[in-house]
Amino acid sequence: VGRSSSAGTVLAGGADVGKLWVDAEGKATAVAIMREVIRAANADLEAHGAAPRLDEEALVEKLSAITDKMAEASYIPSTTNDFLAGRRMEVGAIFEEPVRRATAHGVDVPRLETLAGLLRVANDHIAAAGSWRDVT
């Protein structure tokens, strides 16, 4: 849930999870990112000889139910709070590392890769300007 909702809410200008989740395209994109992360995680588990694998459908259903509750509460993820406060976001650990692992295992994660790239650029601008509000 974290990756799909936190990146989405940052890129939606600091919107809360509810605004992202009630938008049909926003929700579809968030679910697609969940699926990418699950597939990458399964490839990583397999590469390390770990079992059992994550059940994609069951996990998407469970994560969607959690996101429903977050949406009702107008939850704002910590990554989004960092963005709104003009602080650097944890892009490396939360977004770039999963992309690196997915790539290493031959798993295509185009949405996650795009999010990681855009958030890295936003981080660079925040660092240079001191706040996202000061970015020109």
Side-chain angles (χ1 to χ4, degrees), residues 2-134:
R3 284 168 188 84
S4 60
S5 62
S6 63
T9 59
V10 168
L11 296 176
D16 64 57
V17 171
K19 289 180 179 65
L20 176 72
W21 201 242
V22 299
D23 180 85
E25 232 177 281
K27 184 174 186 174
T29 300
V31 169
I33 293 164
M34 288 178 196
R35 291 184 182 284
E36 287 182 4
V37 171
I38 293 165
R39 290 177 191 142
N42 277 332
D44 200 43
L45 287 169
E46 183 177 346
H48 290 89
R53 303 293 180 259
L54 302 171
D55 180 323
E56 184 175 329
E57 293 308 316
L59 191 49
V60 166
E61 186 176 319
K62 183 175 183 175
L63 293 173
S64 292
I66 292 168
T67 307
D68 286 341
K69 289 184 169 94
M70 292 166 57
E72 290 170 12
S74 300
Y75 177 75
I76 298 176
S78 62
T79 302
T80 308
N81 281 322
D82 288 341
F83 169 74
L84 291 172
R87 295 185 298 262
R88 289 187 63 80
M89 299 169 283
E90 296 180 78
V91 175
I94 298 173
F95 301 96
E96 292 175 334
E97 180 61 18
V99 169
R100 187 194 66 73
R101 289 183 186 205
T103 302
H105 300 309
V107 177
D108 192 30
V109 288
R111 292 170 190 87
L112 188 58
E113 192 170 15
T114 299
L115 291 177
L118 291 172
L119 292 173
R120 183 187 45 72
V121 169
N123 254 356
D124 292 347
H125 280 287
I126 289 169
S131 167
W132 69 271
R133 290 177 181 91
D134 298 330

